[in-house]
Amino acid sequence: MAQPTNRVFSGVQPTGNLHLGNYLGAIRKFVAMQESHECIYCVVDLHAITADLVQDNLKQQTREIAAAFIASGIDPKAHIMFNQSQVREHAELAWLFNCVARMGWLQRMTQFKEKAGKNAQNASVGLFTYPNLMAADILLYRATHVPVGDDQKQHLELTRDIAAKFNHEFAKRIKETGHGGDGYFPITEPIIEGPATRVMSLRDGSKKMSKSEPSDMSRINLTDDADEIAKKIRKAKTDPDPLPDNLDDLKGRPEAENLVGIYAALNEVTPDAVISEFAGQQFGAFKPALADLAVEKLAPINAEMRKLMDDKAHIDSILDDGAARAREIAQQTMKEVRSIFGFLG
Ligand code: AQP
């Protein structure tokens, strides 16, 4: 199969509490890339069991991400949208990549260190090899571009290392089997840009906004209603100073910088423009403006998600249809990968 030149793959874990960071850092970019690329978007449910093995409501959480994708503007007919566990080839390629990736590469992954914390000996092997499964997700479709938040940068580098090592180790076989000239897997480009590549917690400007943070006040969930959004922004941690008249003076004020970044991203303007508009104003004036903007942008998504979530059968049929189309590509890739490895059969 010819190597695609403009194929996008990305995913979101169905671990509950889908938040503004996921939306601005990832989902909104997924929507924009549909114009110019062939896109494959995945609810990565196999990843969801790496940190907490037993998920209370995996089916519902999976539907919630799918609903958020559609409500945000992903077109599941023109592109492919599915949940990972329905396409078994993700797990198969991840195993092969367990044999391609080196221990030292994975031992450097900062996200494992953060998520495993002090008790790394008790973390699942799946949490440790998570980046290999992520590489498999992307390379199964030989995706050329991956829109992600800043926290996934290191995992994307590992994906590139795996592709390069595979291409190098099997260079002769790839040519012999007629599956590529300069390599079989692309060296995928991460798309990490814009003002909201790392949205920070509303309670602590040094921590990223996260699904797994116990305090719900730290994040704006896509399922929050207008009152909840306004309350969380009103109570967001800030400092006592007014907003400065230039971006340099925001340095060292992480909470203020974060709120300005969120405003800029939601309004699709630069942080500079936000500073010009609100220079000299106190948070007492800025926060209500931010709350109004957040409600204006998020309320339609929230309403559409609720409508979609009321019809589970419809969401399930969209995911099944996407999985069938994803499987066709995945099966072809695995046929070629098996022949490159030289497996019998
Ligand atoms: N705070 C964030 N700002 C910008 N982008 C973010 N992403 C996550 N948090 C932020 C991006 O959202 C996409 C999906 O993320 P994920 O489901 O793979 O989860 P994650 O990266 O581990 O982060 P979460 O959602 O906060 O979950 P936990 O609490 O488990 O760490 C990715 O593109 C990610 O970069």
Side-chain angles (χ1 to χ4, degrees), residues 11-13 15 19 21-22 25-26 111 115 130 147-152 196-199 208-213:
V12 176
Q13 298 184 70
T15 38
H19 54 76
N22 300 132
Q111 192 171 85
K115 291 202 170 178
Y130 180 117
V148 277
D150 178 70
D151 63 326
Q152 295 301 323
T197 55
R198 182 176 282 260
V199 176
K208 117 184 151 86
M209 188 176 283
S210 150
K211 300 197 201 88
S212 54
E213 162 62 45

